[in-house]
Coordinates of all heavy atoms in Angstrom, one line a residue:
M201 N 55.2 63.7 -50.9 CA 55.3 64.0 -49.5 C 56.7 64.3 -49.1 O 57.0 65.2 -48.4 CB 54.7 62.8 -48.7 CG 54.7 63.1 -47.3 SD 53.5 64.4 -46.8 CE 52.8 63.7 -45.4
Q202 N 57.7 63.5 -49.6 CA 59.1 63.7 -49.3 C 59.6 65.0 -49.8 O 60.4 65.7 -49.2 CB 59.9 62.6 -49.9 CG 61.4 62.6 -49.5 CD 61.6 62.5 -48.0 OE1 60.9 61.7 -47.3 NE2 62.5 63.3 -47.5
A203 N 59.1 65.5 -51.0 CA 59.5 66.8 -51.5 C 59.1 67.9 -50.6 O 59.8 68.9 -50.4 CB 58.9 66.9 -52.9
L204 N 57.9 67.8 -50.1 CA 57.4 68.8 -49.1 C 58.2 68.8 -47.9 O 58.5 69.9 -47.4 CB 55.9 68.5 -48.8 CG 54.9 68.7 -49.9 CD1 53.5 68.3 -49.5 CD2 54.9 70.2 -50.3
L205 N 58.6 67.7 -47.4 CA 59.4 67.6 -46.2 C 60.8 68.2 -46.5 O 61.4 68.8 -45.6 CB 59.6 66.2 -45.7 CG 58.3 65.6 -45.0 CD1 58.5 64.1 -44.7 CD2 57.9 66.4 -43.8
D206 N 61.3 68.0 -47.7 CA 62.6 68.5 -48.0 C 62.6 70.0 -48.1 O 63.6 70.7 -47.8 CB 63.1 67.9 -49.3 CG 63.5 66.4 -49.2 OD1 63.7 66.0 -48.1 OD2 63.5 65.7 -50.3
D207 N 61.5 70.6 -48.5 CA 61.3 72.0 -48.7 C 61.1 72.7 -47.3 O 61.2 73.9 -47.2 CB 60.2 72.4 -49.6 CG 60.5 72.0 -51.1 OD1 61.7 71.9 -51.4 OD2 59.6 72.0 -51.9
L208 N 60.7 72.0 -46.3 CA 60.3 72.6 -45.0 C 61.4 73.4 -44.4 O 61.1 74.6 -44.0 CB 59.8 71.5 -44.1 CG 59.0 71.9 -42.9 CD1 57.8 72.7 -43.3 CD2 58.6 70.7 -42.0
P209 N 62.6 73.0 -44.3 CA 63.7 73.8 -43.7 C 63.8 75.2 -44.4 O 64.0 76.2 -43.8 CB 65.0 73.0 -43.7 CG 64.5 71.6 -43.8 CD 63.2 71.6 -44.6
A210 N 63.8 75.2 -45.7 CA 63.9 76.4 -46.5 C 62.8 77.3 -46.2 O 62.9 78.6 -46.1 CB 64.0 76.1 -48.0
L211 N 61.6 76.8 -46.1 CA 60.4 77.6 -45.8 C 60.5 78.3 -44.4 O 60.3 79.5 -44.3 CB 59.1 76.8 -45.8 CG 58.7 76.2 -47.2 CD1 57.5 75.3 -47.0 CD2 58.3 77.4 -48.1
F212 N 61.0 77.5 -43.4 CA 61.2 78.1 -42.1 C 62.3 79.2 -42.1 O 62.2 80.2 -41.5 CB 61.6 77.0 -41.1 CG 60.4 76.3 -40.5 CD1 60.1 75.0 -40.9 CD2 59.5 76.9 -39.7 CE1 59.0 74.3 -40.4 CE2 58.4 76.3 -39.2 CZ 58.1 74.9 -39.5
E213 N 63.4 78.9 -42.8 CA 64.5 79.9 -42.9 C 64.0 81.2 -43.6 O 64.3 82.3 -43.1 CB 65.6 79.3 -43.7 CG 66.8 80.2 -43.8 CD 68.0 79.6 -44.6 OE1 68.1 78.3 -44.5 OE2 68.7 80.3 -45.2
D214 N 63.2 81.0 -44.7 CA 62.7 82.2 -45.4 C 61.8 83.0 -44.5 O 61.8 84.2 -44.4 CB 62.0 81.8 -46.7 CG 62.9 81.3 -47.7 OD1 64.1 81.5 -47.6 OD2 62.4 80.7 -48.7
K215 N 60.9 82.3 -43.7 CA 60.0 83.0 -42.8 C 60.8 83.7 -41.7 O 60.5 84.9 -41.3 CB 59.0 82.0 -42.2 CG 57.9 82.6 -41.5 CD 57.0 83.5 -42.4 CE 55.8 84.0 -41.7 NZ 55.0 84.9 -42.5
F216 N 61.8 83.1 -41.2 CA 62.6 83.7 -40.1 C 63.3 84.9 -40.7 O 63.3 86.0 -40.0 CB 63.6 82.7 -39.6 CG 64.5 83.2 -38.5 CD1 64.1 83.4 -37.3 CD2 65.8 83.6 -38.9 CE1 64.9 83.9 -36.3 CE2 66.6 84.2 -37.9 CZ 66.2 84.3 -36.6
R217 N 63.9 84.8 -41.8 CA 64.6 85.9 -42.5 C 63.6 87.1 -42.7 O 64.0 88.2 -42.5 CB 65.3 85.5 -43.8 CG 66.1 86.6 -44.4 CD 66.7 86.2 -45.7 NE 67.8 85.2 -45.5 CZ 67.9 84.0 -46.0 NH1 67.0 83.6 -46.9 NH2 68.9 83.2 -45.8
E218 N 62.4 86.7 -43.1 CA 61.4 87.8 -43.4 C 61.1 88.5 -42.1 O 60.9 89.7 -42.1 CB 60.2 87.1 -43.9 CG 59.1 88.0 -44.4 CD 57.9 87.2 -44.9 OE1 58.1 86.5 -45.9 OE2 56.8 87.2 -44.3
R219 N 61.0 87.8 -41.0 CA 60.7 88.5 -39.7 C 61.9 89.2 -39.1 O 61.8 90.2 -38.4 CB 60.2 87.4 -38.7 CG 58.8 86.9 -39.0 CD 58.3 86.0 -37.9 NE 57.0 85.6 -38.2 CZ 56.2 84.9 -37.4 NH1 56.6 84.7 -36.2 NH2 55.0 84.6 -37.7
L220 N 63.1 88.7 -39.3 CA 64.3 89.3 -38.8 C 64.7 90.6 -39.5 O 65.2 91.5 -38.9 CB 65.5 88.3 -38.9 CG 66.8 88.7 -38.3 CD1 66.7 88.9 -36.8 CD2 67.8 87.7 -38.6
Q221 N 64.5 90.7 -40.8 CA 64.9 91.8 -41.6 C 64.4 93.2 -41.1 O 65.3 94.1 -41.0 CB 64.5 91.6 -43.1 CG 65.1 92.6 -44.0 CD 66.6 92.5 -44.0 OE1 67.2 91.5 -43.9 NE2 67.3 93.7 -44.1
P222 N 63.2 93.3 -40.7 CA 62.8 94.7 -40.2 C 63.5 95.0 -38.9 O 63.8 96.2 -38.7 CB 61.2 94.5 -40.0 CG 60.8 93.4 -40.8 CD 62.0 92.5 -40.9
M223 N 63.7 94.0 -38.1 CA 64.5 94.3 -36.8 C 65.9 94.7 -37.1 O 66.4 95.7 -36.5 CB 64.4 93.1 -35.9 CG 63.0 92.9 -35.3 SD 63.0 91.5 -34.2 CE 62.7 90.2 -35.3
L224 N 66.5 94.1 -38.1 CA 67.9 94.5 -38.4 C 67.9 95.9 -39.0 O 68.9 96.6 -38.8 CB 68.5 93.4 -39.4 CG 68.7 92.0 -38.8 CD1 69.2 91.1 -39.9 CD2 69.7 92.1 -37.7
E225 N 66.9 96.2 -39.8 CA 66.9 97.5 -40.4 C 66.7 98.6 -39.3 O 67.3 99.7 -39.4 CB 65.8 97.6 -41.5 CG 66.1 96.8 -42.7 CD 65.0 96.7 -43.7 OE1 63.9 97.2 -43.4 OE2 65.2 96.0 -44.7
Q226 N 65.8 98.3 -38.4 CA 65.6 99.2 -37.3 C 66.8 99.4 -36.5 O 67.2 100.5 -36.1 CB 64.4 98.8 -36.4 CG 64.1 99.7 -35.3 CD 63.1 99.2 -34.3 OE1 62.7 98.0 -34.3 NE2 62.5 100.1 -33.5
Q227 N 67.5 98.3 -36.2 CA 68.8 98.4 -35.4 C 69.8 99.3 -36.2 O 70.5 100.1 -35.6 CB 69.3 97.0 -35.2 CG 70.6 97.1 -34.4 CD 71.4 95.8 -34.4 OE1 71.3 95.0 -35.3 NE2 72.1 95.5 -33.3
Q228 N 69.9 99.1 -37.5 CA 70.8 99.9 -38.3 C 70.5 101.4 -38.2 O 71.4 102.2 -38.0 CB 70.9 99.4 -39.7 CG 71.9 100.1 -40.5 CD 73.3 99.8 -40.0 OE1 73.6 98.7 -39.6 NE2 74.2 100.8 -40.1
R229 N 69.2 101.7 -38.2 CA 68.8 103.1 -38.1 C 69.1 103.7 -36.7 O 69.6 104.8 -36.6 CB 67.3 103.3 -38.4 CG 66.9 103.2 -39.8 CD 65.4 103.6 -40.1 NE 64.5 102.8 -39.3 CZ 64.0 101.7 -39.7 NH1 64.3 101.2 -40.9 NH2 63.1 101.0 -38.9
L230 N 68.9 102.9 -35.7 CA 69.2 103.3 -34.3 C 70.7 103.5 -34.2 O 71.2 104.4 -33.5 CB 68.7 102.3 -33.3 CG 67.2 102.2 -33.1 CD1 66.8 101.0 -32.3 CD2 66.7 103.5 -32.6
L231 N 71.5 102.6 -34.7 CA 73.0 102.8 -34.7 C 73.4 104.1 -35.4 O 74.3 104.8 -34.9 CB 73.7 101.6 -35.3 CG 73.6 100.3 -34.5 CD1 74.2 99.1 -35.3 CD2 74.3 100.4 -33.1
E232 N 72.8 104.4 -36.5 CA 73.2 105.6 -37.2 C 72.7 106.8 -36.4 O 73.5 107.8 -36.3 CB 72.5 105.6 -38.6 CG 73.1 104.6 -39.5 CD 72.3 104.3 -40.8 OE1 71.2 105.0 -41.0 OE2 72.7 103.5 -41.6
D233 N 71.5 106.8 -35.8 CA 71.1 107.9 -35.0 C 72.0 108.1 -33.8 O 72.3 109.2 -33.4 CB 69.7 107.6 -34.5 CG 68.6 107.7 -35.6 OD1 68.9 108.3 -36.6 OD2 67.5 107.3 -35.3
N234 N 72.5 107.0 -33.2 CA 73.4 107.0 -32.1 C 74.7 107.7 -32.5 O 75.2 108.6 -31.8 CB 73.7 105.6 -31.6 CG 74.5 105.6 -30.3 OD1 75.5 106.3 -30.2 ND2 74.2 104.7 -29.4
A235 N 75.2 107.4 -33.6 CA 76.4 108.0 -34.1 C 76.2 109.5 -34.3 O 77.1 110.3 -34.0 CB 76.9 107.3 -35.4
D236 N 75.1 109.9 -34.9 CA 74.8 111.3 -35.1 C 74.7 112.0 -33.8 O 75.2 113.1 -33.6 CB 73.5 111.5 -35.9 CG 73.6 111.0 -37.3 OD1 74.7 110.9 -37.8 OD2 72.5 110.8 -37.9
L237 N 74.0 111.4 -32.8 CA 73.9 112.1 -31.5 C 75.2 112.2 -30.8 O 75.5 113.2 -30.1 CB 72.9 111.3 -30.6 CG 71.5 111.3 -31.0 CD1 70.6 110.4 -30.2 CD2 70.9 112.8 -30.8
R238 N 76.1 111.2 -30.9 CA 77.4 111.3 -30.3 C 78.2 112.4 -30.9 O 78.9 113.2 -30.3 CB 78.2 110.0 -30.5 CG 77.8 108.8 -29.7 CD 78.6 107.6 -30.1 NE 78.1 106.4 -29.4 CZ 78.6 106.0 -28.3 NH1 79.7 106.6 -27.7 NH2 78.2 104.9 -27.7
H239 N 78.1 112.5 -32.3 CA 78.8 113.6 -33.0 C 78.3 115.0 -32.5 O 79.1 115.9 -32.2 CB 78.6 113.5 -34.5 CG 79.2 114.5 -35.3 ND1 80.6 114.6 -35.5 CD2 78.7 115.6 -35.9 CE1 80.9 115.7 -36.2 NE2 79.7 116.3 -36.5
H240 N 77.0 115.2 -32.4 CA 76.4 116.4 -31.9 C 76.9 116.7 -30.4 O 77.2 117.8 -30.1 CB 74.9 116.4 -32.0 CG 74.4 116.5 -33.4 ND1 74.7 117.5 -34.3 CD2 73.7 115.6 -34.1 CE1 74.1 117.3 -35.4 NE2 73.5 116.1 -35.3
L241 N 76.9 115.7 -29.6 CA 77.3 115.8 -28.2 C 78.7 116.3 -28.1 O 79.1 117.2 -27.3 CB 77.1 114.5 -27.5 CG 77.5 114.5 -26.0 CD1 76.6 115.4 -25.2 CD2 77.5 113.1 -25.4
L242 N 79.6 115.7 -28.9 CA 81.0 116.1 -28.9 C 81.1 117.6 -29.4 O 82.0 118.3 -28.9 CB 81.8 115.2 -29.8 CG 82.0 113.8 -29.3 CD1 82.7 112.9 -30.3 CD2 82.7 113.7 -27.9
Q243 N 80.3 118.0 -30.3 CA 80.4 119.4 -30.8 C 79.9 120.4 -29.7 O 80.3 121.5 -29.7 CB 79.5 119.5 -32.1 CG 80.1 118.9 -33.3 CD 79.3 119.1 -34.5 OE1 78.1 119.3 -34.4 NE2 79.9 119.0 -35.7
L244 N 79.0 119.9 -28.9 CA 78.5 120.8 -27.9 C 79.4 121.0 -26.7 O 79.2 121.9 -25.9 CB 77.1 120.3 -27.4 CG 76.0 120.3 -28.4 CD1 74.7 119.6 -27.8 CD2 75.6 121.7 -28.8
Q245 N 80.4 120.1 -26.5 CA 81.3 120.3 -25.3 C 82.2 121.5 -25.6 O 83.0 121.5 -26.5 CB 82.1 119.0 -25.1 CG 81.2 117.8 -24.7 CD 82.0 116.6 -24.5 OE1 83.2 116.5 -24.9 NE2 81.4 115.6 -23.9
P246 N 82.1 122.5 -24.7 CA 82.9 123.7 -24.9 C 84.4 123.5 -24.6 O 84.8 122.8 -23.7 CB 82.3 124.7 -23.9 CG 81.7 123.8 -22.8 CD 81.3 122.5 -23.5
G247 N 85.2 124.1 -25.5 CA 86.7 124.1 -25.2 C 87.4 122.8 -25.2 O 88.5 122.8 -24.7
S248 N 86.9 121.8 -25.7 CA 87.6 120.6 -25.7 C 87.9 120.1 -27.2 O 87.1 120.3 -28.0 CB 86.9 119.5 -25.0 OG 85.6 119.2 -25.6
E249 N 89.1 119.6 -27.3 CA 89.5 119.1 -28.6 C 89.0 117.7 -28.8 O 89.1 116.9 -27.8 CB 91.1 119.1 -28.8 CG 91.7 120.5 -28.6 CD 93.2 120.4 -28.6 OE1 93.7 119.5 -29.1 OE2 93.8 121.4 -28.0
P250 N 88.6 117.3 -30.0 CA 88.1 116.0 -30.2 C 89.1 114.9 -29.8 O 88.8 113.9 -29.3 CB 87.8 115.9 -31.7 CG 87.6 117.3 -32.1 CD 88.5 118.1 -31.2
S251 N 90.4 115.2 -30.0 CA 91.4 114.1 -29.8 C 91.7 114.0 -28.3 O 92.3 113.0 -27.8 CB 92.7 114.5 -30.5 OG 93.2 115.7 -30.0
R252 N 91.3 115.0 -27.4 CA 91.6 114.9 -26.0 C 90.4 114.6 -25.2 O 90.4 114.7 -24.0 CB 92.2 116.2 -25.6 CG 93.5 116.5 -26.3 CD 94.3 117.6 -25.7 NE 94.9 117.1 -24.5 CZ 95.2 117.8 -23.5 NH1 95.1 119.1 -23.5 NH2 95.7 117.3 -22.4
Q253 N 89.2 114.4 -25.8 CA 88.0 114.2 -25.1 C 88.0 112.8 -24.4 O 88.5 111.8 -25.0 CB 86.8 114.3 -26.0 CG 86.6 115.7 -26.4 CD 85.4 115.8 -27.4 OE1 85.0 114.8 -27.9 NE2 85.1 117.0 -27.8
R254 N 87.4 112.7 -23.2 CA 87.3 111.5 -22.6 C 86.1 110.7 -23.2 O 85.0 111.3 -23.4 CB 87.0 111.7 -21.1 CG 87.1 110.5 -20.3 CD 86.9 110.8 -18.8 NE 85.4 110.8 -18.6 CZ 84.9 111.1 -17.5 NH1 85.6 111.5 -16.5 NH2 83.5 111.1 -17.3
V255 N 86.3 109.5 -23.5 CA 85.3 108.6 -24.1 C 84.5 108.0 -23.0 O 85.0 107.2 -22.2 CB 86.0 107.6 -25.1 CG1 84.9 106.7 -25.7 CG2 86.8 108.3 -26.2
L256 N 83.2 108.3 -23.0 CA 82.3 107.7 -22.0 C 81.9 106.3 -22.4 O 81.6 105.4 -21.6 CB 81.1 108.6 -21.7 CG 81.5 110.0 -21.2 CD1 80.2 110.8 -21.0 CD2 82.2 109.9 -19.9
M257 N 81.7 106.1 -23.7 CA 81.2 104.8 -24.2 C 82.1 104.6 -25.5 O 82.5 105.5 -26.1 CB 79.8 104.9 -24.7 CG 78.8 105.1 -23.5 SD 77.1 105.1 -24.1 CE 76.9 103.4 -24.7
P258 N 82.4 103.3 -25.7 CA 83.2 103.0 -26.9 C 82.5 103.4 -28.2 O 81.3 103.4 -28.3 CB 83.4 101.5 -26.8 CG 82.4 101.0 -25.9 CD 82.0 102.1 -25.0
R259 N 83.3 103.9 -29.1 CA 82.8 104.2 -30.4 C 82.2 103.0 -31.1 O 82.6 101.9 -30.8 CB 83.8 104.8 -31.3 CG 84.4 106.2 -30.8 CD 85.4 106.6 -31.8 NE 86.4 105.6 -32.1 CZ 87.7 105.7 -32.1 NH1 88.2 106.8 -31.9 NH2 88.4 104.7 -32.4
Q260 N 81.2 103.2 -32.0 CA 80.6 102.1 -32.7 C 81.6 101.3 -33.4 O 81.5 100.1 -33.5 CB 79.6 102.7 -33.7 CG 78.9 101.6 -34.5 CD 78.1 100.6 -33.7 OE1 77.6 101.0 -32.7 NE2 78.1 99.4 -34.1
E261 N 82.7 101.9 -34.0 CA 83.7 101.2 -34.7 C 84.5 100.2 -33.8 O 85.1 99.3 -34.3 CB 84.6 102.1 -35.4 CG 84.0 103.1 -36.4 CD 83.5 104.3 -35.7 OE1 84.1 104.8 -34.8 OE2 82.4 104.8 -36.1
D262 N 84.5 100.5 -32.5 CA 85.3 99.7 -31.6 C 84.5 98.5 -31.0 O 85.0 97.7 -30.3 CB 85.7 100.6 -30.4 CG 86.7 101.7 -30.8 OD1 87.3 101.5 -31.9 OD2 86.8 102.7 -30.1
R263 N 83.2 98.5 -31.3 CA 82.4 97.4 -30.8 C 82.0 96.5 -32.0 O 81.9 96.9 -33.1 CB 81.1 97.9 -30.2 CG 81.3 98.8 -29.0 CD 80.0 99.2 -28.5 NE 79.4 100.3 -29.3 CZ 78.2 100.7 -29.3 NH1 77.3 100.1 -28.6 NH2 77.8 101.7 -30.1
P264 N 81.8 95.2 -31.7 CA 81.4 94.3 -32.7 C 80.0 94.7 -33.3 O 79.2 95.2 -32.5 CB 81.3 92.9 -32.1 CG 81.9 93.1 -30.7 CD 82.0 94.5 -30.4
R265 N 79.8 94.6 -34.5 CA 78.6 95.0 -35.1 C 77.5 93.9 -34.9 O 77.6 92.7 -35.3 CB 78.7 95.1 -36.6 CG 79.8 96.2 -37.1 CD 79.3 97.6 -36.9 NE 78.0 97.8 -37.4 CZ 77.7 98.8 -38.3 NH1 78.6 99.5 -38.7 NH2 76.5 98.9 -38.7
M266 N 76.5 94.2 -34.2 CA 75.4 93.3 -33.8 C 74.7 92.7 -35.0 O 74.5 91.5 -35.1 CB 74.4 93.9 -32.9 CG 73.3 93.0 -32.4 SD 74.0 91.6 -31.5 CE 74.1 92.3 -29.9
R267 N 74.5 93.5 -36.0 CA 73.8 93.1 -37.2 C 74.6 92.0 -37.9 O 74.1 90.9 -38.2 CB 73.5 94.2 -38.2 CG 72.8 93.8 -39.4 CD 72.5 95.1 -40.3 NE 71.6 94.8 -41.3 CZ 71.9 94.2 -42.5 NH1 73.2 94.0 -42.8 NH2 71.0 94.0 -43.4
Q268 N 75.9 92.2 -38.1 CA 76.7 91.2 -38.7 C 76.8 89.9 -37.9 O 76.8 88.8 -38.4 CB 78.1 91.7 -39.0 CG 78.2 92.6 -40.3 CD 77.8 94.1 -40.0 OE1 77.7 94.5 -38.8 NE2 77.5 94.8 -41.0
A269 N 76.9 90.1 -36.6 CA 76.9 89.0 -35.7 C 75.7 88.1 -35.8 O 75.7 86.9 -35.8 CB 77.1 89.4 -34.2
L270 N 74.5 88.8 -35.8 CA 73.3 88.0 -36.0 C 73.2 87.3 -37.3 O 72.8 86.2 -37.4 CB 72.1 89.0 -35.8 CG 71.7 89.4 -34.4 CD1 70.7 90.5 -34.5 CD2 71.2 88.3 -33.6
L271 N 73.5 88.0 -38.4 CA 73.5 87.4 -39.7 C 74.4 86.2 -39.7 O 74.1 85.1 -40.3 CB 73.9 88.4 -40.8 CG 72.9 89.5 -41.1 CD1 73.5 90.6 -42.0 CD2 71.6 89.0 -41.6
H272 N 75.6 86.3 -39.2 CA 76.6 85.2 -39.2 C 76.0 84.1 -38.3 O 76.1 82.9 -38.7 CB 77.9 85.7 -38.7 CG 78.9 84.6 -38.6 ND1 79.5 84.1 -39.7 CD2 79.4 83.9 -37.5 CE1 80.3 83.1 -39.3 NE2 80.3 83.0 -38.0
A273 N 75.5 84.4 -37.1 CA 75.0 83.4 -36.2 C 73.9 82.5 -36.9 O 73.8 81.3 -36.6 CB 74.5 84.0 -34.9
F274 N 73.0 83.2 -37.7 CA 71.9 82.4 -38.3 C 72.3 82.0 -39.7 O 71.4 81.5 -40.4 CB 70.7 83.3 -38.3 CG 70.1 83.5 -36.9 CD1 70.3 84.7 -36.2 CD2 69.5 82.4 -36.2 CE1 69.8 84.8 -34.9 CE2 69.0 82.6 -34.9 CZ 69.2 83.8 -34.3
G275 N 73.5 82.1 -40.1 CA 73.9 81.6 -41.4 C 73.5 82.4 -42.6 O 73.6 81.9 -43.7
F276 N 73.2 83.7 -42.4 CA 72.8 84.5 -43.5 C 74.0 85.1 -44.2 O 73.9 85.4 -45.4 CB 71.7 85.5 -43.1 CG 70.5 85.0 -42.6 CD1 69.8 85.5 -41.5 CD2 69.9 83.9 -43.2 CE1 68.6 85.0 -41.1 CE2 68.7 83.4 -42.7 CZ 68.1 83.9 -41.6
N277 N 75.0 85.5 -43.4 CA 76.2 86.1 -44.0 C 75.9 87.2 -44.9 O 76.6 87.4 -46.0 CB 77.1 85.0 -44.6 CG 77.5 84.0 -43.6 OD1 77.7 84.3 -42.5 ND2 77.6 82.8 -44.1
G278 N 74.9 88.1 -44.6 CA 74.7 89.2 -45.4 C 73.9 89.0 -46.7 O 73.6 89.9 -47.5
K279 N 73.5 87.7 -46.9 CA 72.7 87.4 -48.1 C 71.3 87.8 -47.9 O 70.7 87.6 -46.9 CB 72.8 85.9 -48.4 CG 74.2 85.4 -48.7 CD 74.2 83.9 -48.9 CE 75.6 83.4 -49.1 NZ 75.7 82.0 -49.1
R280 N 70.7 88.3 -49.0 CA 69.3 88.7 -48.9 C 68.4 87.5 -49.3 O 68.8 86.7 -50.1 CB 69.0 89.9 -49.9 CG 69.8 91.1 -49.5 CD 68.8 92.2 -49.2 NE 69.6 93.4 -48.8 CZ 69.3 94.1 -47.8 NH1 68.3 93.8 -47.0 NH2 70.0 95.2 -47.5
A281 N 67.2 87.5 -48.8 CA 66.2 86.5 -49.2 C 65.9 86.7 -50.7 O 65.7 87.8 -51.2 CB 65.0 86.5 -48.4
A282 N 65.8 85.6 -51.4 CA 65.4 85.7 -52.8 C 63.9 85.6 -53.0 O 63.2 85.2 -52.3 CB 66.1 84.5 -53.6

């Protein structure tokens, strides 16, 4: 019985990681799509140089990465479930 109780936290963590992973993958795809759309938008602006364009939203590189923040907050630190 004690062995089962000792394994319980690991089981919950594995289940949580299993449910979180698809959301993190979807978020990564959305961030990549966002970067592609920003690039296309900048290309469509007539007569403006990329270095002189007004930035309406901060670039992805200038913002904290949500995926890494979530992984760190839940103690995964980028480790995959075994």
Side-chain angles (χ1 to χ4, degrees):
M201 184 67 137
Q202 186 62 38
L204 291 173
L205 288 175
D206 291 341
D207 289 342
L208 197 57
L211 291 172
F212 278 110
E213 183 178 326
D214 290 344
K215 189 65 173 175
F216 178 78
R217 183 180 291 128
E218 186 180 297
R219 289 184 177 193
L220 183 64
Q221 189 62 36
M223 288 182 274
L224 293 174
E225 290 170 359
Q226 180 183 18
Q227 180 192 29
Q228 188 62 37
R229 285 190 304 271
L230 290 171
L231 290 171
E232 290 168 1
D233 289 346
N234 184 319
D236 289 342
L237 289 171
R238 285 176 186 268
H239 179 73
H240 291 299
L241 179 64
L242 291 176
Q243 288 179 337
L244 292 174
Q245 292 180 349
S248 60
E249 299 174 25
S251 62
R252 301 192 72 203
Q253 290 176 351
R254 192 175 85 182
V255 177
L256 300 177
M257 294 181 65
R259 294 181 311 226
Q260 178 61 34
E261 301 85 38
D262 296 338
R263 294 182 284 164
R265 302 283 314 232
M266 182 60 84
R267 181 175 192 275
Q268 281 83 13
L270 284 171
L271 289 172
H272 178 74
F274 291 105
F276 297 139
N277 298 326
K279 297 176 187 172
R280 298 242 181 225

